[in-house]
Amino acid sequence: MSTQPAATSHGIQDADLGVPRWKIIMASVVGTTIEFYDFYIYATAAVSVFPLIFFPGGDAQTALLASMATFGAAFVARPLGSIIFGHMGDRLGRKVTLIGALLTMGIATFIIGLLPTYYQIGLWAPAMLTILRFCQGLGLGGEWSGAALLVTETAKPGKRASAAMWPQLGAPFGFLLANGFFLVLALAFDYDSAAHGADHVFVDWVWRIPFLASIVMVAIGLWVRVSLEETPVFKQAIAKDERVKAPLKDVFAKNWWQLILGTFIMYATYVLFYLMTTWILSYAIGAPEAGGLGTSYNDFLVIQLISILFFAAFVPVAGMLADKFGRKPTMLTITTLMIIFGLLFGWWLNADVIVDADGTLNTTRMIVFMIVGMSLMGLTFGPMSAILPELFPTETRYTGSGISYNVSSILGAALTPFIATWLMGTFDVSYVGYYLAAASVITLIFLALSPETKYRSLSALDQDEIERTR
């Protein structure tokens, strides 16, 4: 493996950008915040509202599983979105592709807020919900890699991982906005999913407000992105005629190993993320007879909002660590900690320890668990928008990083809430942790097989350099 320190001198100076650096940062953060906001409001509604209005009938566990299945539809769409938008990004440019991804996601989210329910149009309601969820996945499939390339291809010398943390902050920011909005509405209308059914005004129409309000954020994101210029690295590729006609064909023919590496490097991150956001919510607020803890939705949402602050705080920490010590040693250490965390799930979360003698949640124990999990999430998620783009050459970077990120979403995220719910129903909460530990072991293996990409220069990265440092 070649690790040439001189390569760290490669970077983009402010004079080369054409627009202020703060606008690039804002465009990456605003865009991913909107995308994740849209994604999270669906995730929250899928647990607390959609089982009541789109999948009624039968027992609560079956309705929840059906709702989780539609939640997973977006992850099936995300690799397709990465192919479509990746082709556009590698052929037409990063800017126009980011605008298209934003509009796809935003419009689908807005329409979800207008959907009639099962009680109004029958099976057409969950069918339409699934289609729009699929469209959300298409948009997000093209969003992340474009935002990551926007900052990595304009980063200062030696600061690429620190710059790349900006779009990663969109995840905790979007979570805070989406779930904070839901919490405010739930408190304002005195709604608790553990105590109220489908006849509450929140389930009737209030849940639609966060979906409809997303169009305002889309307009802001669109305004910021329209004013951007193309990245200097992509301009250089155009000037040197380095673009390829079929990025998808090239990336599978020349960079198949990088696709595998990127997919499984990201795998455990996805598993952890959706355990700590979607599954844990369903476990906490689920009825005790269905294997849940019976916690108030509002009370647990406060705990999640507190813990997400630690997610946000550790994203920049991870970027700085990856710049200082390298991507590989940083991620090997963090992933090892994730294995330990997974093995301790039972000790932390079993009902006999997390629920006090009077039947109430041991809030302190749950808050500490959530803080540790979300801190690990910030650490593992922070460097990813540098690591994945660094695996690929300029001409297929949008496509390659996007496919890796989004195929991993199927393996590590689409199935996670469903598998975790099944494990809870079949075994106990300890097995959910074993699932995370196993996923982390797989990621650890592929990290060990990966090259150190800290010293690669994106502006000069070509296929020969990738072969030398494989």
Side-chain angles (χ1 to χ4, degrees):
M1 181 181 69
S2 173
T3 56
Q4 299 293 332
T8 58
S9 64
H10 291 88
I12 306 300
Q13 303 297 332
D14 289 357
D16 300 323
L17 298 179
V19 295
R21 193 176 291 275
W22 67 263
K23 184 169 283 190
I24 294 172
I25 292 173
M26 183 178 178
S28 68
V29 176
V30 167
T32 53
T33 297
I34 294 169
E35 302 286 354
F36 281 105
Y37 168 87
D38 290 351
F39 223 60
Y40 291 147
I41 56 175
Y42 189 101
T44 302
V47 171
S48 61
V49 177
F50 289 169
L52 300 174
I53 60 174
F54 287 104
F55 307 98
D59 60 84
Q61 183 79 355
T62 301
L64 178 60
L65 286 172
S67 185
M68 286 297 185
T70 63
F71 177 77
F75 294 99
V76 177
R78 283 172 65 167
L80 179 59
S82 68
I83 292 171
I84 295 171
F85 289 107
H87 181 88
M88 292 173 58
D90 285 325
R91 289 291 302 162
L92 304 178
R94 308 339 188 185
K95 173 184 172 178
V96 65
T97 307
L98 280 168
I99 292 173
L102 179 67
L103 289 175
T104 301
M105 183 80 172
I107 292 172
T109 303
F110 180 78
I111 296 175
I112 288 175
L114 300 174
L115 279 182
T117 68
Y118 176 87
Y119 297 104
Q120 295 169 309
I121 60 172
L123 292 176
W124 284 106
M128 293 170 65
L129 180 66
T130 303
I131 291 171
L132 289 170
R133 179 62 175 166
F134 189 86
C135 291
Q136 279 190 316
L138 287 178
L140 189 57
E143 164 62 29
W144 178 86
S145 51
L149 266 57
L150 186 64
V151 288
T152 56
E153 291 185 345
T154 57
K156 291 181 178 180
K159 299 293 184 182
R160 197 158 57 219
S162 297
M165 66 93 179
W166 288 108
Q168 305 303 79
L169 286 173
F173 288 173
F175 187 97
L176 285 168
L177 286 173
N179 288 280
F181 202 166
F182 260 100
L183 178 60
V184 169
L185 290 173
L187 292 174
F189 289 89
D190 192 27
Y191 174 71
D192 186 342
S193 63
H196 298 115
D199 57 346
H200 195 278
V201 67
F202 188 93
V203 179
D204 188 28
W205 63 269
V206 174
W207 68 268
R208 300 177 184 274
I209 296 175
F211 288 89
L212 299 176
S214 68
I215 202 68
V216 177
M217 298 176 64
V218 171
I220 295 171
L222 189 62
W223 170 74
V224 174
R225 289 187 169 181
V226 165
S227 64
L228 293 177
E229 291 192 12
E230 195 51 75
T231 69
V233 172
F234 190 77
K235 287 180 180 178
Q236 184 183 80
I238 296 175
K240 294 182 177 180
D241 196 26
E242 293 175 340
R243 289 178 296 172
V244 294
K245 291 183 179 180
L248 180 64
K249 178 182 177 182
D250 271 50
V251 81
F252 274 102
K254 299 178 181 179
N255 303 115
W256 58 270
W257 176 238
Q258 286 74 28
L259 287 173
I260 294 173
L261 282 179
T263 297
F264 287 100
I265 285 172
M266 189 73 199
Y267 175 56
T269 301
Y270 264 123
V271 173
L272 176 63
F273 184 59
Y274 282 91
L275 287 180
M276 298 304 299
T277 55
T278 304
W279 168 78
I280 191 66
L281 178 62
S282 65
Y283 176 53
I285 71 173
E289 58 269 22
L293 300 177
T295 308
S296 161
Y297 168 74
N298 296 347
D299 290 345
F300 188 74
L301 194 51
V302 172
I303 295 175
Q304 275 197 314
L305 291 173
I306 292 171
S307 67
I308 208 75
L309 297 175
F310 289 82
F311 179 5
F314 277 93
V315 166
V317 171
M320 291 185 288
L321 291 173
D323 273 335
K324 182 173 182 179
F325 299 107
R327 288 46 162 154
K328 189 170 180 176
T330 299
M331 289 305 302
L332 285 171
T333 302
I334 295 166
T335 306
T336 301
L337 293 174
M338 289 166 58
I339 295 173
I340 297 171
F341 179 65
L343 295 175
L344 293 175
F345 260 47
W347 174 81
W348 233 319
L349 291 179
N350 274 329
D352 57 348
V353 295
I354 200 71
V355 177
D356 293 330
D358 60 358
T360 60
L361 181 71
N362 187 323
T363 305
T364 301
R365 194 178 186 92
M366 181 61 81
I367 288 176
V368 173
F369 169 81
M370 292 296 295
I371 287 175
V372 172
M374 285 298 189
S375 297
L376 285 172
M377 184 60 215
L379 288 171
T380 186
F381 192 57
M384 287 299 173
S385 55
I387 294 172
L388 267 59
E390 288 169 349
L391 291 172
F392 300 92
T394 303
E395 60 268 23
T396 58
R397 186 171 296 137
Y398 204 126
T399 301
S401 60
I403 290 175
S404 295
Y405 184 85
N406 290 295
V407 169
S408 185
S409 76
I410 292 181
L411 300 176
L415 299 177
T416 290
F418 191 90
I419 290 175
T421 301
W422 178 81
L423 287 171
M424 277 295 304
T426 307
F427 303 103
D428 59 49
V429 71
S430 298
Y431 284 81
V432 178
Y434 300 153
Y435 173 48
L436 171 61
S440 300
V441 168
I442 293 172
T443 288
L444 197 69
I445 292 170
F446 281 90
L447 282 168
L449 296 173
S450 68
E452 175 56 69
T453 57
K454 172 183 175 181
Y455 300 108
R456 287 179 171 177
S457 170
L458 295 189
S459 59
L461 183 58
D462 57 23
Q463 190 63 38
D464 290 338
E465 184 177 350
I466 286 178
E467 293 296 332
R468 287 196 303 272
T469 59
R470 174 172 291 184

